[in-house]
Amino acid sequence: MDTHTPMRAEPGTRGHDLRHHGDAEVRDDGSALVDLAVNVRADTPPVWLREHVAASLGSLAAYPDGRAARAAVAERHGLPVERVLLTAGAAEAFVLLARALKVRRPVVVHPQFTEPEAALRDAGHTVGRVLLRAADGFRLDPAAVPEDADLVVVGNPTNPTSVLHPAGVLAGLARPGRTLVVDEAFMDAVPGEREALAGRVDVPGLVVLRSLTKTWGLAGLRIGYVLAAPETVAELERAQPLWPVSTPALAAAEACVAPRALAEAAHAAHRVAADRAHLVAGLGEFAGAGLRVAGPAEGPFVLVRLPHGAAVRHRLRGLGFAVRRGDTFPGLDEEWLRLAVRDRATSDRFLRALERAMPAPA
């Protein structure tokens, strides 16, 4: 079967657990493991951000007022505030899009973060899939997206493949009557945010999602935002509950788009790129054993395929490391594993453990 061919998938079919996420690897008996399963930057949030959020607790008696944070996000991207919607993480945005937009043929480009499809299914939609192929480096072929798709969802850089699609290719997916959703949750981990569409107003139907939880370690606080045309923002806002973003999360949003934070994030992106190169070079030593790295990787994680991947993942747990299973992503199977990029010392320890976990040569 040609895996470029868009496929309809009925709810509950195709055997992928769309609700499985990396944090499941480090809960309960996994809490003591070195975490390479969750794509949140290590050693975050930084002290200055924790202190800033803590200072907001004195205002908890008042209802949240998101105007300042919304204005700060708008200024960061050079947009009017009417084009910004603050959300309780990017995951809430997927739910809002699924519930608020009137679409007939939504399509999700896979492999990618599974929450968009899960949210669409939960809202009663039948979801089409475009499956990108490892043989093509998981690069997007625009011709694979059905012309009649009126909602297209794609990640950039894509979780879990770490592929960064050219902005021009993604913008070329725009059509009259189509909503084009680009999940840029990891874009601030790309040096220079090259290929970003955030801030663009010339692409019709464009909706860009951003998360502040990955780079800043705020997964427990839940904060993200939507950038879209004012009428789309208004539609999504009507679907939100009252006061959807807490006062501490609003404080974090305002701080994380300030010049100081942007400079720190830019520095972190370059450090992640160097640490990723170190990890990929180390993984290259296992090529003779059949390990392959998808790529070129551009996000703060890498996707690898190796023989007996499920067994290797279990052995790694016994050696103290949690990695993300790949078989819950449509288009992947149990031979795929996703590895978060960590500092070089941690990567070196992981590579030694991987050597022990790999099957013995036949």
Side-chain angles (χ1 to χ4, degrees):
M1 179 172 57
D2 179 4
T3 53
H4 263 318
T5 302
M7 290 182 287
R8 290 272 183 189
E10 298 301 324
T13 65
R14 307 204 64 80
H16 295 95
D17 180 2
L18 301 180
R19 295 297 190 187
H20 181 89
H21 300 297
D23 61 316
E25 311 284 354
V26 290
R27 289 198 214 110
D28 302 327
D29 64 340
S31 60
L33 301 178
V34 177
D35 180 9
L36 303 186
V38 177
N39 291 327
V40 173
R41 184 162 63 100
D43 301 321
T44 52
V47 173
W48 66 263
L49 182 54
R50 292 202 302 268
E51 291 176 346
H52 184 82
V53 171
S56 74
L57 299 182
S59 304
L60 291 185
Y63 285 97
D65 183 348
R67 289 176 296 177
R70 188 179 183 186
V73 170
E75 182 178 359
R76 181 255 195 271
H77 291 288
L79 296 171
V81 294
E82 293 81 9
R83 284 183 167 268
V84 175
L85 181 67
L86 303 175
T87 59
E92 189 206 6
F94 293 126
V95 173
L96 295 176
L97 288 163
R99 293 179 178 177
L101 300 186
K102 307 298 186 289
V103 296
R104 300 178 314 281
R105 192 179 184 192
V107 168
V108 178
V109 178
H110 287 290
Q112 79 147 0
F113 185 50
T114 53
E115 278 302 316
E117 180 169 328
L120 286 161
R121 289 176 180 273
D122 288 346
H125 297 285
T126 299
V127 182
R129 291 176 177 172
V130 172
L131 299 181
L132 307 184
R133 304 194 309 167
D136 298 326
F138 296 111
R139 291 187 298 274
L140 176 62
D141 176 6
V145 178
E147 278 296 321
D148 63 344
D150 56 358
L151 174 69
V152 177
V153 185
V154 60
N156 204 38
T158 304
N159 170 24
T161 65
S162 207
V163 168
L164 184 66
H165 302 293
V169 170
L170 295 183
L173 291 175
R175 300 282 188 279
R178 171 184 289 176
T179 300
L180 173 62
V181 179
V182 181
D183 177 9
E184 292 188 350
F186 294 98
M187 186 60 78
D188 59 354
V190 176
E193 296 195 1
R194 66 186 192 282
E195 312 303 345
L197 290 176
R200 293 276 295 270
V201 297
D202 60 325
V203 181
L206 176 65
V207 176
V208 174
L209 308 184
R210 285 288 181 110
S211 170
L212 296 172
T213 65
K214 317 300 184 186
T215 288
W216 297 109
L218 298 173
L221 198 59
R222 312 307 306 142
I223 180 63
Y225 54 88
V226 177
L227 306 175
E231 57 271 21
T232 302
V233 167
E235 216 171 342
L236 299 180
E237 192 169 18
R238 283 193 293 270
Q240 276 187 313
L242 293 173
W243 309 291
V245 181
S246 70
T247 294
L250 292 171
E254 192 171 356
C256 289
V257 296
R260 169 188 176 177
L262 296 179
E264 183 173 324
H267 177 75
H270 285 283
R271 187 171 67 248
V272 166
D275 290 340
R276 183 182 60 241
H278 180 79
L279 173 61
V280 169
L283 292 169
E285 299 297 318
F286 297 92
L291 186 149
R292 297 292 182 269
V293 180
E298 298 284 359
F301 46 87
V302 298
L303 181 68
V304 301
R305 187 174 195 173
L306 66 165
H308 311 290
V312 170
R313 181 172 67 87
H314 288 295
R315 292 191 198 110
L316 285 169
R317 291 183 72 84
L319 295 169
F321 289 87
V323 300
R324 173 64 158 89
R325 59 190 286 193
D327 60 327
T328 64
F329 294 100
L332 303 181
D333 58 30
E334 63 181 11
E335 291 197 339
W336 293 94
L337 303 174
R338 191 192 70 196
L339 315 172
V341 173
R342 300 296 185 229
D343 63 88
R344 296 187 183 199
T346 301
S347 290
D348 287 342
R349 288 193 290 122
F350 167 73
L351 292 166
R352 290 193 293 270
L354 180 60
E355 185 174 17
R356 295 174 60 188
M358 292 285 283

